[in-house]
Amino acid sequence: MGRLSVLGLMLTMLCAITSDYASYGASRFSNCSENDLDALIDFKNGLEDPENRLASWKGSNCCQWHGISCDDDTGAIVAINLGNPYHVVNSDSSGRYGFWNLSGELRPSLIKLKSLEYLDLSFNTFNDIPIPEFLGSLENLQYLNLSEAGNLHRLQFFDVSAELFALSADSLDWLTGLVSLKHLAMNRVDLSLVGSEWLGILKNLPNLTELHLSVCGLTGSITSITPVNLTSLAVLDLSLNHFNSLFPNWLVNISTLVYVDLSDCDLYGRIPIGFGELPNLHYLSLAGNNNLSASCSQLFRGSWKKIQILNFASNKLHGKLPSSVANMTSLTNFDLFDNKVEGGIPSSIARLCYLKEFDLSGNNLTGSLPEILQGTDLCVSSNSPLPSLISMRLGNNHLKGKLPEWLSQLENLVELTLSYNLLQGPIPASLGNLKNLTKLNLPGNQLNGTLPETLGSLPELSVLDVSSNSLTGIISEIHFSRLSKLKFLGLSSNSFILNVSSSWIPPFQVQSLNMRSCQLGPSFPSWLKTQQGVSFLDFSNASISGPIPNWFWDISSKLSLLNVSLNQLQGQLPNPLNIAPFADVDFRSNLLEGPIPLPIVEIELLDLSNNHFSGPIPQNISGSMPNLIFLSVSGNRLTGKIPGSIGEMQLLQVIDLSRNSISGSISSSIGNCTFLKVLDLSYSSLRILSLRSNAFSGEIPSKLSNLSSLQVLDLAENNLTGSIPGSVGDLKAMAHVQNIVKYLLFGRYRGIYYEENLVINTKGQQQRYTKTLSLVTSIDLSGNNLHGDFPTQLTKLVGLVVLNLSRNHIGGQIPENISGLRQLASLDLSSNNLSGGIPSSLSSLSFLGYINLSRNQLSGKIPFEGHMTTFDASSFAGNPGLCGDPLPVKCQDDESDKGGNVVEDDNEDEFIDKWFYFSLGLGFAAGIIVPMFIFSIKKPCSDAYFKFVDKIVDRLS
């Protein structure tokens, strides 16, 4: 019925378009089309208008008629608004009447109004006429209001099925008055606000035979309905809703059911075995609920007298298939895909038959009953088991054993899917007898032997998939001799050898070629040239060598999957690559060379790893592939820097640039890659890795130590967890002093360079390094959730200048041999859980200009001597167990040693210290001022002195 909306007590589904037609008769058009004009006049002639409401309906300017609205651009009629605004209700037998009341008949001439979107005939009097069926043909109708316009107690058929959620309703109370309703269809109408009371409303519809409420957004329990008055219900379709409910067992009490579809409804619990005894049931689909369970041996024990379609896919059916399945002689579709069915496919199905009535009483028969029956003419079944079966889907289960020969007797079979089970043994050659077979899916089993040549004689076969088995042997042209309709060929992950002539022209035009691990070489298969419609191509690990022929790029534009990895392909790839949009492209592990090619359209996966590509990563890589998800160029000969634009590829999940000769730093823009799961930069001469202030989580990978050139590691302000791996102490570039200035310039453009620079947190503040960046070695892991003990392996990094592990949960003690970090200029271990004493060896670090050990659990006396005397109390605050200078807390040992003369000794020492420092300062001043005074008087002395200093400096340099 198109996009229909219904208002009022009868059909209350209001679209928000009422205001669009409120100002009817105000269009800038006057003359409507002749077709629309004729339709309106005929419609008027069928109406009774005692109040002469339609007096303006004359002439050709119908857009100016009362109740008519036209499209401002086309002049087509889009609305008829003839609802009675003055309706009253009279108590006499004549029923409803009032001012402007219309009655009569509703003529089908309205169908001619192709642009009609709005029709309001509410509160008029159309007693004793049915709702016209032609209303269902108004394809553009969005609003229909027939409220109080007629007697609806006799309404039997109501269908407002719509485009997805084009209509909506927040109540179904209006259904209660439709006591004669037999057919109710509201598929794809948004009923998400109705709640669960709709189920109780159905009790008031005792004559209902069909109920279609698919994709309506219904929720809530459907477990019970009391009493069950739906004694006439034959068709029930509640599929694709979200009930999240226990299975409604009351359904098996409705013996009239013929068709039941409760697929994808979020139902759980056990499937009642009573379904098998419903005498009229033809169709039952409970697929896609994922949590419905039943024992196969119990569920299929029933009679299932008239069942034609059984679909239990994607649930939790378990146990073995009983041979009684063969009793379902009307069964056409049997689908148990993705369950937990065990055991073998019963071979006894082929031997079952129905018996005529017979009497063996009064005889002295001996032996077993099967022996007695053998050779008798008692079977009334057909020669073929399951004679009506068209489709059997048993994939993704736990079936085992061999494929039974009786499968070849299913002469009407169109689809056989047994994929991803535990089936063994050979593929029966007799399957070549299934002349109607279009789909044969056997991948993911343990089948062995060869591929029967008889399969090549199946003229209707469009899908042949035997991949991921243990099949062997040679495949020749005979295997494909009559497969002219083949569209999907899956032979991968077996041990096949393709042996066809170089001039072979296949009889098929496939869309998908999956021949991974088949021996197709040594040269590139020339027969592929004939496949103009192929879109999925997997020739990986196929023993192909040499160059890719030029003709291949003529068919590559349709490839959504191109996988020729793990071969010996040589030469250069064309740049740009001719490929289908959003394709997956995999050339890994070949002998390809030249620059990195970019695709002509954006793609989602690019793997060029383990080849001989050279040169830089293209700077415009993000512009060419903005939605790339997977990027791997590892194991090549790439040089240059990592493009900063890589951070613009925000959907990237994997970046693998490892095992190249890439240098430079990673831009912080890589933090924009919010879906990033893997970043592998191992062996890539990376000097700087700065990923601070992002949302990275998980543990620090131990393989970071493979970055042998890494000088700056900044992972601060993230959500990293776990302990600091000891392998961090193996970062080679930090294990020796950096004393060579390497000022790097990148990306010359019109005489302007990108200058290497980096901001490093050191000495409690941010400092930008440019020309001296090559001298800096730094580790900053601050502001994460790291725990574990202080990694003693860090003390091997003798070239480390900055170490910041603050604001974590690191425990243990500061190792005594931390003094091995001779170049350390900034040390921040604040806000952790460190305990024990402060190593006295810290005082020997002569370059240490900043230390912060505050807010830990350190204890004991501060080694306030040597270089440590340059730090104030803030460096040690927040450690309740620390004492001694520069903290105001004195150590107990110090107090006891001083005894009763502490104050007197202190005053005496203070007096001596004052004179000592005074005399020292006076001597220093005299040593500077006196020579300067002499040099200012006698210039020759001054010149001689400074020449002497210059010579000394030259010799030292």
Side-chain angles (χ1 to χ4, degrees):
M1 191 168 177
R3 302 180 61 192
L4 178 65
S5 186
V6 187
L7 178 67
L9 295 176
M10 173 256 184
L11 312 172
T12 311
M13 286 176 287
L14 178 62
C15 288
I17 61 174
T18 309
S19 60
D20 295 343
Y21 309 103
S23 57
Y24 48 80
S27 172
R28 61 185 177 89
F29 285 89
S30 56
N31 295 334
C32 54
S33 69
E34 183 177 353
N35 179 75
D36 286 3
L37 181 63
D38 292 342
L40 286 179
I41 292 175
D42 184 69
F43 176 68
K44 175 188 176 184
N45 292 336
L47 299 176
E48 296 180 8
D49 182 15
E51 302 294 332
N52 203 21
R53 287 181 62 186
L54 307 181
S56 64
W57 284 38
K58 57 186 176 182
S60 61
N61 57 342
C62 60
C63 290
Q64 304 299 321
W65 291 357
H66 174 79
I68 301 300
S69 294
C70 297
D71 186 273
D72 285 340
D73 295 323
T74 66
I77 293 175
V78 294
I80 300 177
N81 188 348
L82 296 178
N84 185 358
Y86 303 115
H87 69 283
V88 295
V89 177
N90 195 352
S91 59
D92 63 21
S93 60
S94 62
R96 291 178 291 109
Y97 70 96
F99 300 108
W100 284 20
N101 185 62
L102 297 175
S103 59
E105 63 174 317
L106 300 178
R107 293 189 174 179
S109 54
L110 289 179
I111 296 176
K112 297 180 180 180
L113 303 177
K114 300 299 184 182
S115 300
L116 189 65
E117 300 177 356
Y118 183 102
L119 178 60
D120 187 348
L121 300 175
S122 61
F123 300 106
N124 287 290
T125 306
F126 298 101
N127 286 332
D128 298 326
I129 67 170
I131 303 295
E133 292 187 7
F134 71 81
L135 292 179
S137 301
L138 296 171
E139 296 180 354
N140 289 308
L141 195 64
Q142 300 180 26
Y143 181 98
L144 173 64
N145 191 346
L146 300 178
S147 299
E148 299 293 330
N151 187 347
L152 303 178
H153 295 288
R154 299 182 182 178
L155 184 67
Q156 297 184 12
F157 185 95
F158 178 53
D159 190 340
V160 290
S161 298
E163 297 178 6
L164 185 59
F165 288 176
L167 310 176
S168 64
D170 56 9
S171 173
L172 295 180
D173 291 339
W174 50 270
L175 281 173
T176 56
L178 308 181
V179 294
S180 299
L181 196 63
K182 293 184 177 181
H183 182 109
L184 174 60
M186 301 178 68
N187 293 332
R188 297 173 298 279
V189 175
D190 185 1
L191 302 179
S192 57
L193 299 179
V194 167
S196 58
E197 72 274 8
W198 66 272
L199 193 60
I201 293 174
L202 296 180
K203 295 188 299 183
N204 300 310
L205 305 176
N207 297 309
L208 195 65
T209 59
E210 293 195 27
L211 178 62
H212 302 265
L213 297 177
S214 176
V215 200
C216 291
L218 292 169
T219 57
S221 174
I222 58 172
T223 302
S224 62
I225 175 173
T226 307
V228 180
N229 290 336
L230 302 175
T231 55
S232 301
L233 192 64
V235 176
L236 176 63
D237 185 358
L238 302 178
S239 60
L240 294 162
N241 286 290
H242 304 287
F243 298 117
N244 192 23
S245 169
L246 197 65
F247 192 86
N249 290 337
W250 51 268
L251 287 175
V252 298
N253 296 323
I254 305 176
S255 60
T256 54
L257 282 174
V258 174
Y259 180 105
V260 177
D261 191 346
L262 294 176
S263 57
D264 298 285
C265 285
D266 291 338
L267 298 174
Y268 58 90
R270 295 191 65 81
I271 301 171
I273 61 176
F275 274 120
E277 304 305 326
L278 293 178
N280 300 301
L281 191 63
H282 287 68
Y283 181 106
L284 177 60
S285 178
L286 306 179
N289 283 290
N290 299 312
N291 287 303
L292 291 176
S293 64
S295 166
C296 289
S297 59
Q298 295 179 358
L299 183 62
F300 300 129
R301 187 182 300 165
S303 59
W304 299 96
K305 291 182 179 179
K306 296 184 179 180
I307 197 68
Q308 296 178 6
I309 295 177
L310 272 179
N311 189 349
F312 297 114
S314 298
N315 279 291
K316 294 182 178 178
L317 272 67
H318 54 85
K320 297 180 179 181
L321 283 176
S323 56
S324 58
V325 170
N327 295 333
M328 304 180 194
T329 55
S330 299
L331 190 65
T332 61
N333 294 73
F334 189 42
D335 196 339
L336 301 182
F337 188 86
D338 191 20
N339 278 277
K340 300 181 182 300
V341 184
E342 303 170 339
I345 302 174
S347 58
S348 56
I349 285 180
R351 296 193 295 271
L352 288 181
C353 63
Y354 292 108
L355 299 180
K356 302 174 183 177
E357 294 184 2
F358 64 101
D359 189 356
L360 298 179
S361 61
N363 291 287
N364 296 318
L365 299 175
T366 60
S368 64
L369 186 60
E371 293 174 346
I372 297 171
L373 297 178
Q374 189 174 12
T376 61
D377 185 20
L378 298 175
C379 291
V380 296
S381 64
S382 64
N383 293 329
S384 171
L386 299 170
S388 303
L389 196 63
I390 295 175
S391 173
M392 182 161 69
R393 299 177 73 245
L394 304 179
N396 285 43
N397 281 285
H398 305 298
L399 295 173
K400 59 183 180 180
K402 295 182 178 182
L403 297 177
E405 286 288 340
W406 64 261
L407 290 174
S408 62
Q409 300 176 33
L410 304 175
E411 54 190 25
N412 294 312
L413 197 64
V414 172
E415 177 181 357
L416 177 61
T417 295
L418 301 172
S419 54
Y420 299 100
N421 281 286
L422 303 172
L423 298 170
Q424 300 173 331
I427 299 175
S430 58
L431 292 183
N433 297 328
L434 301 175
K435 301 305 180 183
N436 294 309
L437 196 65
T438 63
K439 296 180 181 180
L440 178 59
N441 287 307
L442 302 175
N445 282 286
Q446 300 170 13
L447 300 173
N448 53 32
T450 60
L451 187 69
E453 292 182 348
T454 55
L455 297 182
S457 63
L458 297 174
E460 302 297 323
L461 198 64
S462 62
V463 175
L464 174 59
D465 191 357
V466 295
S467 55
S468 300
N469 279 285
S470 300
L471 299 169
T472 60
I474 295 176
I475 294 180
S476 66
E477 299 174 16
I478 299 177
H479 287 86
F480 309 106
S481 57
R482 298 188 61 190
L483 303 186
S484 60
K485 296 184 179 180
L486 193 65
K487 296 298 180 184
F488 182 100
L489 177 60
L491 303 176
S492 66
S493 299
N494 286 286
S495 298
F496 291 131
I497 300 174
L498 185 65
N499 184 14
V500 296
S501 67
S502 59
S503 60
W504 180 54
I505 299 178
F508 49 73
Q509 284 290 321
V510 294
Q511 297 173 355
S512 178
L513 270 174
N514 192 346
M515 305 182 76
R516 180 177 65 250
S517 300
C518 295
Q519 186 172 323
L520 306 179
S523 60
F524 205 91
S526 58
W527 56 266
L528 183 62
K529 185 194 310 185
T530 66
Q531 302 302 301
Q532 299 297 315
V534 63
S535 57
F536 295 86
L537 177 66
D538 189 346
F539 278 3
S540 60
N541 192 28
S543 303
I544 305 173
S545 59
I548 299 175
N550 291 332
W551 56 257
F552 177 78
W553 306 112
D554 295 330
I555 67 172
S556 63
S557 61
K558 296 181 181 179
L559 291 176
S560 295
L561 170 66
L562 171 56
N563 187 351
V564 290
S565 62
L566 300 165
N567 285 290
Q568 299 291 314
L569 296 173
Q570 300 172 337
Q572 293 191 13
L573 296 179
N575 196 0
L577 277 175
N578 192 17
I579 202 72
F582 306 106
D584 291 353
V585 179
D586 191 348
F587 285 101
R588 62 192 161 92
S589 300
N590 279 285
L591 303 173
L592 299 168
E593 56 189 18
I596 294 291
L598 295 178
I600 198 169
V601 293
E602 60 174 301
I603 62 177
E604 294 186 346
L605 179 147
L606 179 62
D607 194 341
L608 303 176
S609 59
N610 300 321
N611 278 281
H612 301 321
F613 292 106
S614 58
I617 300 174
Q619 291 292 323
N620 61 335
I621 187 171
S622 62
S624 181
M625 300 179 289
N627 294 309
L628 195 68
I629 296 174
F630 182 103
L631 173 65
S632 178
V633 292
S634 67
N636 281 286
R637 300 168 181 174
L638 302 178
T639 57
K641 63 186 289 287
I642 301 173
S645 64
I646 214 168
E648 299 172 10
M649 305 163 75
Q650 298 184 13
L651 299 182
L652 273 171
Q653 297 182 20
V654 174
I655 303 176
D656 188 355
L657 312 180
S658 62
R659 296 181 291 116
N660 282 285
S661 299
I662 298 173
S663 58
S665 61
I666 287 186
S667 170
S668 60
S669 66
I670 201 171
N672 297 328
C673 302
T674 54
F675 295 96
L676 193 64
K677 294 181 173 65
V678 176
L679 176 62
D680 192 346
L681 305 173
S682 55
Y683 306 104
S684 56
S685 302
L686 191 69
R687 293 175 52 229
I688 298 170
L689 178 58
S690 179
L691 302 175
R692 73 180 297 120
S693 300
N694 282 290
F696 290 110
S697 59
E699 299 185 357
I700 299 174
S702 59
K703 291 186 178 181
L704 273 179
S705 60
N706 293 335
L707 299 174
S708 58
S709 301
L710 193 66
Q711 290 180 226
V712 176
L713 175 61
D714 189 350
L715 305 179
E717 311 299 339
N718 281 285
N719 299 316
L720 299 175
T721 56
S723 58
I724 300 174
S727 60
V728 172
D730 297 327
L731 290 168
K732 295 180 180 179
M734 300 184 186
H736 60 272
V737 178
Q738 300 291 334
N739 52 17
I740 300 177
V741 176
K742 298 177 182 177
Y743 183 41
L744 301 181
L745 304 175
F746 299 107
R748 180 177 180 180
Y749 178 71
R750 295 185 180 180
I752 300 175
Y753 290 89
Y754 166 77
E755 300 181 0
E756 182 181 56
N757 67 93
L758 185 68
V759 175
I760 295 179
N761 274 19
T762 178
K763 300 182 179 180
Q765 59 186 359
Q766 292 186 337
Q767 183 171 339
R768 182 176 296 276
Y769 288 84
T770 55
K771 296 182 178 180
T772 59
L773 181 58
S774 63
L775 301 178
V776 178
T777 52
S778 170
I779 293 179
D780 191 346
L781 306 178
S782 60
N784 282 286
N785 293 309
L786 300 171
H787 56 79
D789 290 347
F790 184 98
T792 57
Q793 293 89 339
L794 282 176
T795 59
K796 297 189 296 182
L797 305 179
V798 297
L800 197 61
V801 175
V802 177
L803 177 60
N804 189 347
L805 306 180
S806 64
R807 293 178 291 117
N808 281 286
H809 308 288
I810 299 171
Q813 299 185 4
I814 304 174
E816 184 68 31
N817 60 348
I818 196 172
S819 59
L821 304 178
R822 295 288 181 183
Q823 302 297 312
L824 203 60
S826 177
L827 176 63
D828 192 345
L829 304 178
S830 61
S831 300
N832 278 290
N833 297 320
L834 295 170
S835 59
I838 299 176
S840 59
S841 61
L842 280 175
S843 60
S844 65
L845 297 178
S846 56
F847 290 108
L848 193 62
Y850 176 85
I851 188 171
N852 190 349
L853 305 179
S854 63
R855 296 181 296 280
N856 277 284
Q857 303 297 322
L858 298 171
S859 59
K861 184 177 182 179
I862 298 173
F864 198 65
E865 56 188 9
H867 199 64
M868 292 289 283
T869 60
T870 61
F871 306 120
D872 57 25
S874 63
S875 299
F876 310 98
N879 290 280
L882 285 180
C883 61
D885 292 336
L887 296 176
V889 181
K890 302 299 180 183
C891 298
Q892 293 183 356
D893 293 343
D894 292 345
E895 294 294 334
S896 60
D897 290 343
K898 292 175 182 176
N901 300 321
V902 172
V903 176
E904 183 177 344
D905 291 344
D906 283 347
N907 290 336
E908 183 177 348
D909 290 342
E910 182 180 358
F911 176 76
I912 296 174
D913 287 346
K914 286 181 179 179
W915 276 106
F916 172 76
Y917 289 121
F918 175 76
S919 60
L920 184 64
L922 184 62
F924 181 78
I928 295 295
I929 295 174
V930 171
M932 292 301 295
F933 177 75
I934 296 174
F935 292 155
S936 64
I937 296 176
K938 295 185 176 181
K939 191 173 185 303
C941 294
S942 174
D943 292 342
Y945 175 77
F946 286 112
K947 286 181 180 179
F948 173 74
V949 173
D950 287 342
K951 289 181 180 179
I952 296 298
V953 173
D954 288 342
R955 290 179 181 178
L956 291 176
S957 62

